[in-house]
Amino acid sequence: MDLTLDVENYKLNIRTGGVIIHNNKILAHRNINKDYYCIPGGRVEIGESSSKTIKREIKEELGKEIENIGYIATIENFFEMEGKKYHEIYFLHRIEFENEDDKKIEYTMHNMEGKDFLQYEWLDLDKIEEYNILPKCIKKIVKSKSFPVHVINDD
């Protein structure tokens, strides 16, 4: 069961994301029907650590095994989406594909769970400011290369 709760007029999420960087590009995913990107990951399940969550989510979404290189940040993320208020605790980890061939992937990947609307793209870090990545503070966190950090994001 995902750690998602409805509390008064908020939805509380506990979430994790994984930052993969290759050849000065970062892997992000987007719903092809939306105008923003997110870092791959998902909701933490009850009794599961955020580190285990990111391994499970990448395996489910991309069919790839990863190793967790290290903890990057905790983001207290407050936002509204589709008329609903969210309070999200977001753990960000630096991850890497385990398989050497997977480390060479530079093409757009597709979701393995049947979510055909999701695609995973490599975004140029030198142009990261040009991309609409949510939460917005992720761009600054990744560019700073000074980890770990704690950020309160109130977009």
Side-chain angles (χ1 to χ4, degrees), residues 76-138:
E76 294 182 55
N77 194 21
F78 298 88
F79 62 98
E80 285 190 39
M81 185 171 64
E82 298 174 359
K84 184 85 173 161
K85 292 181 181 180
Y86 286 80
H87 179 163
E88 186 172 76
I89 308 300
Y90 189 175
F91 298 99
L92 200 58
H93 296 270
R94 175 76 166 93
I95 62 173
E96 182 63 76
F97 291 131
E98 284 185 358
N99 181 291
E100 289 301 317
D101 288 336
D102 291 342
K103 292 178 182 182
K104 298 173 187 171
I105 294 173
E106 293 189 13
Y107 53 82
T108 298
M109 294 181 277
H110 299 280
N111 184 278
M112 304 286 294
E113 298 172 295
K115 297 177 182 173
D116 296 334
F117 55 89
L118 282 181
Q119 61 185 31
Y120 300 76
E121 302 173 23
W122 296 96
L123 309 179
D124 189 336
L125 282 173
D126 291 335
K127 299 177 181 177
I128 198 165
E129 293 301 326
E130 297 175 20
Y131 300 104
N132 185 15
I133 300 173
L134 299 178
K136 292 178 182 181
C137 62
I138 286 180

Side-chain angles (χ1 to χ4, degrees), residues 11-22:
K11 184 172 279 291
L12 172 65
N13 283 332
I14 309 299
R15 185 173 176 77
T16 190
V19 173
I20 300 176
I21 298 174
H22 289 292

